[in-house]
Amino acid sequence: MSAQQRFARAVEGSIQQYLDAREHALAEISADAAPLLRHVRAMVSGGKRVRSAFVLWGWHAVTAARPEATHTTGTEQDPEWADVVGVATAVELFHAAALVHDDIIDASDTRRGRPAMHRALEAQHRDGEWVGDAASWGTSAAILVGDLLLNWADDRMLEACRGAAHGDRVHDAYRRMREEVTFGQYLDVLEEAAWIRQDPSALLDRAHTVAVYKSAKYSVEAPLTLGGLLAGGADAQLDALAGYGLPVGVAFQMRDDLLGVFGDPAVTGKPAGDDLREGKRTVLIEIARQRLNPSMRTLLDELLGDRELDERQIAILQDAIARSQAPERLEALIDRAVGEALESLHDGDLSRAAVLELERLADTVAKRDR
């Protein structure tokens, strides 16, 4: 079993142990905690654990580069291991909260091949034959579940930072991450509504800003930085990690944009063309708009964001975007971002093992199919 697999297993165990404790505490209030926690456990189980992996290798990159490093440094035998697992657990709980709220905002029906949280709770209402509107109740309950997950993420992060030598710096970075991704999500929904009143020449830059703050920084750069800070990284090391993390995060989001339009539902667990129904003004869409003729651009603008798009209309938009060669342009941007990231890895004094793993991860997240 690889170091990353062992770490993922440790984080999974930490998440379940934490949820066990919260379920016990909530059960003292009401037996209704049990079905709620079943939904939460289903939601947080599985997933790619990308953010946990970057926490691990950000920490390992600094820890194993210390002059006094031994063969146990950066492993389960390291005294800092429990704190690293705790930070990664908090990041995963925060990610789960973001997904719950994101699915409500996007009116998504599925997540990882399962009903989204608000849909699962809607089904609970319907199956129980309760009073009132099932969909409305499901949304209200899911908002509160997301808030609970945010609270639990903060609690677990505070616990991990409390005894850590560099805990204050880690917690400050976590706070910034929370603020940035929440504002990035706001910019995303703003762009869906306000793009029509913006300078057309600024739309691509605006889409890129959304990609950076909604996803790129918190998917890769922030977890890496949290790990590096926990290890007491020097400025040059942290700069190298950030210089790698941001472009890899951008590549990660650009791949997500491609999958949101062209992804295979059997692999992604989301309906085909979901981003088109949701009206996402992504970098992919803005590149396509710049390259489409006026009539096709008008059609794209008219159909994008229509929740009732049928398969034929989705196919028309997919074909138009493909013919614009925007996917090829985006693939080139992904390759360039990954190249930029790999160059940055060699600018700091980072452990060789971590550098090799981060090189592999860059390729993995940039070329993934789900």
Side-chain angles (χ1 to χ4, degrees):
M1 185 183 295
S2 70
Q4 189 168 310
Q5 288 171 326
R6 294 195 303 273
F7 187 72
R9 178 175 289 186
V11 172
E12 186 69 31
S14 173
I15 291 171
Q16 295 305 324
Q17 185 177 23
Y18 183 83
L19 292 179
D20 287 344
R22 300 329 309 145
E23 182 170 8
H24 178 75
L26 294 177
E28 294 182 355
I29 301 173
S30 170
D32 290 321
L36 179 67
L37 265 292
R38 280 198 295 273
H39 289 303
V40 171
R41 289 182 196 275
M43 202 272 162
V44 301
S45 64
K48 296 181 284 292
R49 299 289 187 234
V50 169
R51 291 157 188 81
S52 291
F54 284 120
V55 171
L56 169 65
W57 294 111
W59 171 71
H60 194 290
V62 173
T63 302
R66 293 170 181 164
E68 70 276 16
T70 68
H71 70 281
T72 60
T73 301
T75 70
E76 295 94 326
Q77 287 73 47
D78 195 300
E80 296 176 354
W81 178 264
D83 292 335
V84 186
V85 171
V87 168
T89 299
V91 169
E92 292 291 352
L93 290 172
F94 177 81
H95 180 51
L99 293 181
V100 170
H101 286 159
D102 196 47
D103 286 342
I104 294 169
I105 292 168
D106 294 339
S108 298
D109 293 327
T110 59
R111 170 66 62 179
R112 297 171 181 161
R114 301 189 183 105
M117 180 63 72
H118 61 290
R119 296 303 185 206
L121 291 166
E122 176 185 339
Q124 179 182 338
H125 182 291
R126 189 173 291 110
D127 293 345
E129 298 181 342
W130 300 345
V131 297
D133 181 73
S136 177
W137 185 87
T139 297
S140 298
I143 291 171
L144 297 173
V145 169
D147 290 347
L148 265 178
L149 283 162
L150 284 174
N151 182 69
W152 292 341
D154 290 351
D155 180 53
R156 193 66 186 88
M157 181 62 75
L158 185 61
E159 182 183 346
C161 291
R162 187 175 285 124
H166 306 283
D168 287 347
R169 296 181 72 194
V170 175
H171 201 271
D172 283 346
Y174 171 72
R175 180 195 56 75
R176 288 194 301 275
M177 180 194 80
R178 277 200 53 170
E179 178 181 73
E180 288 175 348
V181 71
T182 303
F183 186 58
Q185 181 68 70
Y186 168 77
L187 293 177
D188 187 34
V189 298
L190 175 68
E191 205 62 16
E192 291 175 21
W195 69 271
I196 197 168
R197 300 302 178 201
Q198 305 302 325
D199 178 355
S201 66
L203 291 177
L204 183 57
D205 285 343
R206 292 172 67 89
H208 187 267
T209 298
V210 170
V212 166
Y213 286 95
K214 180 193 174 185
S215 179
K217 290 177 75 69
Y218 118 94
S219 294
V220 183
E221 183 191 27
L224 266 177
T225 300
L226 290 170
L229 285 169
L230 189 66
D235 288 346
Q237 292 174 312
L238 296 172
D239 288 345
L241 290 173
Y244 163 93
L246 186 57
V248 169
V250 169
F252 179 93
Q253 181 56 44
M254 288 179 178
R255 177 63 59 197
D256 208 50
D257 294 346
L258 283 165
L259 293 173
V261 174
F262 298 105
D264 180 354
V267 178
T268 64
K270 303 272 284 183
D274 222 29
D275 278 6
L276 300 174
R277 291 189 180 92
E278 293 168 7
K280 297 297 183 186
R281 313 299 299 197
T282 63
V283 172
L284 173 67
I285 293 299
E286 294 308 332
I287 292 175
R289 288 187 77 256
Q290 289 182 356
R291 298 176 61 81
L292 290 171
N293 63 48
S295 63
M296 286 305 301
R297 187 183 307 122
T298 298
L299 180 65
L300 174 65
D301 288 340
E302 288 177 349
L303 294 181
L304 195 67
D306 182 350
R307 300 281 180 178
E308 304 303 320
L309 287 180
D310 58 31
E311 292 183 5
R312 181 186 64 84
Q313 291 170 313
I314 290 290
I316 289 172
L317 292 180
Q318 289 173 327
D319 182 66
I321 294 168
R323 287 176 179 274
S324 75
Q325 295 189 313
E328 289 86 349
R329 294 296 181 101
L330 205 64
E331 291 284 5
L333 290 176
I334 290 171
D335 289 343
R336 188 164 69 190
V338 170
E340 177 185 334
L342 297 184
E343 286 183 16
S344 180
L345 278 181
H346 303 284
D347 292 340
D349 181 20
L350 305 175
S351 82
R352 180 61 181 162
V355 168
L356 290 173
E357 189 58 32
L358 288 171
E359 289 176 345
R360 186 193 68 79
L361 278 171
D363 189 65
T364 298
V365 302
K367 296 181 179 178
R368 73 192 198 284
D369 57 3
R370 63 186 179 93

